[in-house]
Amino acid sequence: MGAGRQAANLVGRLARDRKANVGVIFALLLPAILALGGFGIDLSNYSRQTAEMNSALDAVTLATTRQVVSGSLDIKDKDQLQAHAKRLFEANLESSSSQASRVELKSMVVEVVPVPGGIRTVGRYDANYKMWFGGLVGFDVIPISREVEARSSLPTYIDFHLAIDVSPSMGLAANAAQAGRMKTLMGCTFACHTRTDGRDSLGTARGHGIKLRIDSIKQAAGLAIDLAQERAVEEGQYRFSVHTISKTLVELQRLTADLPLAKRQVSNMNLALHSGGLTAHSYFTTSLAALEPTIGDPGTGRTPDSRLKYVILATDGLEHWGDARGQRRHGALNPAICQRMKDRGIVLLVLYTTYLPIPENSAWRSMVRPYEHQLAPNLQRCASPNGYFEAEDDAAINHAMQQIFAEAIGRNRITR
């Protein structure tokens, strides 16, 4: 545009000059001056539109990579990928200030292929910019082309170790409405004890369709496994083991790439019931200590033989144990038991199922209230950075588990 203004100024000066030879010279130079000014305008538009085309291609290539990693696009469906990429490319151009009528798009292709440690996306386009004035100097069109590459930059092979608290407190109703129903039926919001008259509160809850926190956890864990199955770029990319925590660690399913099998084991998970003494409490110190050596050394995640290791711990954070004299003790989970795993490079993702106050319950007043203020902070210190999630009811628990899994696979970063 600067060249155009300069040409216009020159034409004006020459037109006003009355000296003898200037008019002749001006007449001879006028076509070249006009061509030069017009060519300057063309080049300015060409540069702007090239920048907008390049920006659109960058955005499409990065967006396609993210969507394949997240599972919203299927890497195997090439037609869907290409159609989606072209729509996004055109939408980016329409939202810009580009004069689309001057650009003839010849081709725009996005290709996505799996590579060790993630995926590689290549985007490229070829187009012609149709000149306004270039024909005067022998240029009708100027070609525009670009090729860019994006990759998922961090590992994608991950082992998930589910560690689910099934102690009696996970028999709390899943939300306030369910708790109200339980209290009406049994006079208690817990579904974890056997009353002296022989009425089993867990059986009562089950018989009346009352949803418990353990049910929400099972549903959410099953959803995480479903997400893993849907979003895996290749078979065996994600593996799961399933453990419960009460008095001891119980392995329901050893590490497997058979994700439907892992989900069935989650659905078979049961709440631990009291049978006297300290048989059904949560011993995180011993249970997590037992889990840690079963987890192999974390790798880079770039190959099936070098995997990232994740532990997903779902709990209300209150530990019960027996001392040397067999006396019951209570306290918040000690985050020191998580540190050994983190020191080895294992990632801890913690879902805290908020221990809501039950002030009318004597057990809550004596066992939980003294430690209530420590539960969330200790679990936060247990978790890896950005690995702590809290949920108060069944819907929030379900959402939090989705966030946990998104955080795990979301550690894949995109690079240009």
Side-chain angles (χ1 to χ4, degrees):
M1 294 302 290
R5 286 195 296 272
Q6 291 174 6
N9 291 335
L10 177 59
V11 169
R13 289 198 304 273
L14 290 173
R16 292 190 298 270
D17 199 313
R18 303 303 181 190
K19 294 180 181 178
N21 296 324
V22 170
V24 176
I25 297 172
F26 173 70
L28 293 173
L29 291 177
L30 182 59
I33 292 170
L34 292 175
L36 179 62
F39 193 63
I41 294 171
D42 271 331
L43 287 177
S44 177
N45 286 333
Y46 167 81
S47 297
R48 185 180 71 252
Q49 293 180 38
T50 297
E52 291 172 352
M53 295 278 285
N54 291 347
S55 178
L57 184 68
D58 290 350
V60 169
T61 305
L62 290 168
T64 300
T65 305
R66 292 190 183 98
Q67 289 171 303
V68 170
V69 170
S70 71
S72 57
L73 285 176
D74 184 357
I75 193 174
K76 303 179 185 69
D77 193 338
K78 306 299 183 184
D79 292 338
Q80 179 202 32
L81 280 173
Q82 183 57 39
H84 176 82
K86 188 171 183 181
R87 285 195 301 271
L88 187 59
F89 184 75
E90 291 171 348
N92 272 274
L93 289 180
E94 289 174 3
S95 65
S96 73
S97 61
S98 177
Q99 300 178 41
S101 62
R102 307 308 303 166
V103 176
E104 178 189 11
L105 182 64
K106 297 166 63 179
S107 66
M108 199 289 297
V109 178
V110 171
E111 298 175 340
V112 186
V113 294
V115 295
I119 60 171
R120 174 177 176 266
T121 305
V122 176
R124 59 179 176 272
Y125 75 82
D126 288 287
N128 284 329
Y129 170 71
K130 294 181 288 185
M131 304 280 278
W132 285 96
F133 302 98
L136 297 176
V137 291
F139 290 97
D140 294 322
V141 298
I142 301 179
I144 311 173
S145 64
R146 180 175 174 84
E147 180 173 301
V148 295
E149 178 181 303
R151 287 177 179 258
S152 57
S153 62
L154 287 187
T156 56
Y157 296 98
I158 305 174
D159 287 344
F160 293 97
H161 299 270
L162 295 175
I164 309 299
D165 183 355
V166 294
S167 62
S169 58
M170 299 305 286
L172 285 168
N175 54 46
Q178 300 293 323
R181 292 182 61 202
M182 192 68 200
K183 189 171 183 179
T184 299
L185 289 167
M186 298 290 296
C188 174
T189 57
F190 278 91
C192 54
H193 302 284
T194 300
R195 286 171 48 132
T196 55
D197 60 9
R199 293 174 61 199
D200 183 297
S201 58
L202 179 60
T204 300
R206 293 290 185 239
H208 289 81
I210 294 174
K211 192 172 187 179
L212 309 177
R213 287 202 306 194
I214 185 64
D215 301 323
S216 297
I217 291 293
K218 288 165 63 174
Q219 177 181 324
L223 175 61
I225 295 173
D226 286 340
L227 290 172
Q229 192 162 13
E230 292 170 6
R231 298 181 182 183
V233 176
E234 61 183 70
E235 187 175 353
Q237 182 178 356
Y238 303 126
R239 301 187 301 188
F240 278 80
S241 72
V242 182
H243 300 80
T244 61
I245 294 175
S246 55
K247 182 178 181 179
T248 60
L249 181 78
V250 176
E251 182 183 78
L252 298 183
Q253 177 60 55
R254 66 178 56 188
L255 195 63
T256 180
D258 186 343
L259 302 190
L261 173 61
K263 185 177 179 180
R264 288 196 297 273
Q265 296 293 13
V266 167
S267 66
N268 292 333
M269 194 179 296
N270 292 314
L271 192 68
L273 293 177
H274 283 297
S275 60
L278 291 165
T279 58
H281 290 294
S282 40
Y283 288 73
F284 300 114
T285 300
T286 55
S287 294
L288 292 180
L291 175 63
E292 188 267 327
T294 69
I295 302 171
D297 291 331
T300 65
R302 297 185 180 277
T303 69
D305 296 327
S306 181
R307 293 174 174 267
L308 291 177
K309 307 291 184 179
Y310 286 74
V311 170
I312 300 178
L313 172 64
T315 178
D316 59 27
L318 187 70
E319 184 170 30
H320 298 191
W321 72 96
D323 63 18
R325 295 178 295 174
Q327 297 297 309
R328 180 181 297 180
R329 295 288 182 265
H330 313 94
L333 176 144
N334 183 352
I337 64 178
C338 309
Q339 194 60 47
R340 177 175 169 83
M341 284 190 275
K342 291 191 290 186
D343 288 345
R344 289 181 52 204
I346 297 168
V347 179
L348 269 82
L349 303 177
V350 175
L351 171 57
Y352 171 42
T353 54
T354 313
Y355 215 130
L356 298 176
I358 316 173
E360 73 276 10
N361 184 277
S362 61
W364 180 87
R365 292 196 301 269
S366 64
M367 295 188 297
V368 183
R369 184 162 57 186
Y371 313 102
E372 185 182 18
H373 64 287
Q374 298 175 348
L375 298 178
N378 283 18
L379 287 172
Q380 284 180 302
R381 289 195 290 272
C382 174
S384 297
N386 301 318
Y388 172 78
F389 305 83
E390 182 173 350
E392 291 190 357
D393 58 26
D394 55 338
I397 289 171
N398 200 42
H399 178 66
M401 188 63 84
Q402 294 181 63
Q403 288 183 298
I404 282 176
F405 190 75
E407 169 64 20
I409 66 170
R411 290 172 184 256
N412 297 290
R413 298 291 185 256
I414 307 302
T415 56
R416 291 249 306 272

